Amino acid sequence: MNKKKQSKPKAAPASRRKGTAAPRAKVKTKAPHNTLDLFAQAVTLASGGYLFDAVTLFEEIVKSDQGNELADDALVNAGLCYIQMSLYRDAIAQFTRVIQGYPKSTIANVFGNKEVGRTAAKALFCRLRCHSALGDGASAKKDLESLKPYTDSY
């Protein structure tokens, strides 16, 4: 009998492992049926460390319908993915889109989320963190001042 020698699968190089800011992971995803499914899929990817793939899906939610109730939350989550990758300027861009485009939107109550308030307040706080990480104290202070009116968010 002629048996073929099976080789063991090799570990992905460090640049391809989850949680890195390297090229996107090859992750098979199933086609979502609606925006909530797409959002859940993006959250699952982000939780698994597939941050670029998660950002792509969050952006897809926004592109498909900017008026969707999850669009502002998708932008915030994309920004949070960028923070995890230390891509603070990209994160700031996402948070600024929320602050300018969705000033009165509220944080979606999905998947047992315990956050309450306006999405713009969350985006301001996250943007403040990014400015601080970049050493931009003046911009961080402006964001802190801008947070004061948001007494309904925590």
Side-chain angles (χ1 to χ4, degrees):
M1 290 182 135
N2 189 7
K3 292 185 180 180
K4 288 186 177 179
K5 185 179 178 181
Q6 293 182 343
S7 62
K8 293 181 182 178
K10 296 178 182 177
S15 64
R16 300 265 313 186
R17 292 187 193 136
K18 67 181 183 176
T20 63
R24 295 184 181 153
K26 299 260 184 190
V27 178
K28 288 188 178 185
T29 57
K30 56 184 177 179
H33 294 88
N34 60 40
T35 303
L36 185 59
D37 289 343
L38 187 62
F39 192 86
Q41 194 173 352
V43 168
T44 299
L45 286 168
S47 298
Y50 298 105
L51 302 171
F52 277 116
D53 295 304
V55 167
T56 299
L57 292 184
F58 287 131
E59 283 287 342
E60 191 175 313
I61 291 168
V62 178
K63 285 178 188 171
S64 68
D65 181 8
Q66 291 185 351
N68 183 297
E69 68 176 315
L70 292 174
D72 56 321
D73 298 282
L75 287 171
V76 168
N77 284 329
L80 292 171
C81 288
Y82 284 129
I83 286 176
Q84 288 183 39
M85 294 184 282
S86 299
L87 297 172
Y88 300 114
R89 294 190 198 297
D90 293 322
I92 288 169
Q94 297 299 324
F95 299 135
T96 301
R97 286 174 66 188
V98 174
I99 295 160
Q100 292 174 350
Y102 303 90
K104 299 199 184 288
S105 293
T106 56
I107 298 169
N109 187 5
V110 292
F111 314 124
N113 183 13
K114 293 182 173 46
E115 294 176 291
V116 176
R118 288 193 266 163
T119 315
K122 183 177 181 179
L124 268 167
F125 178 73
C126 293
R127 191 171 75 175
L128 182 154
R129 289 178 50 205
C130 292
H131 287 307
S132 294
L134 291 170
D136 184 356
S139 294
K141 189 172 183 174
K142 284 181 187 176
D143 284 344
L144 181 61
E145 290 301 316
S146 297
L147 272 172
K148 288 183 179 179
Y150 292 97
T151 57
D152 60 345
S153 303
Y154 54 93

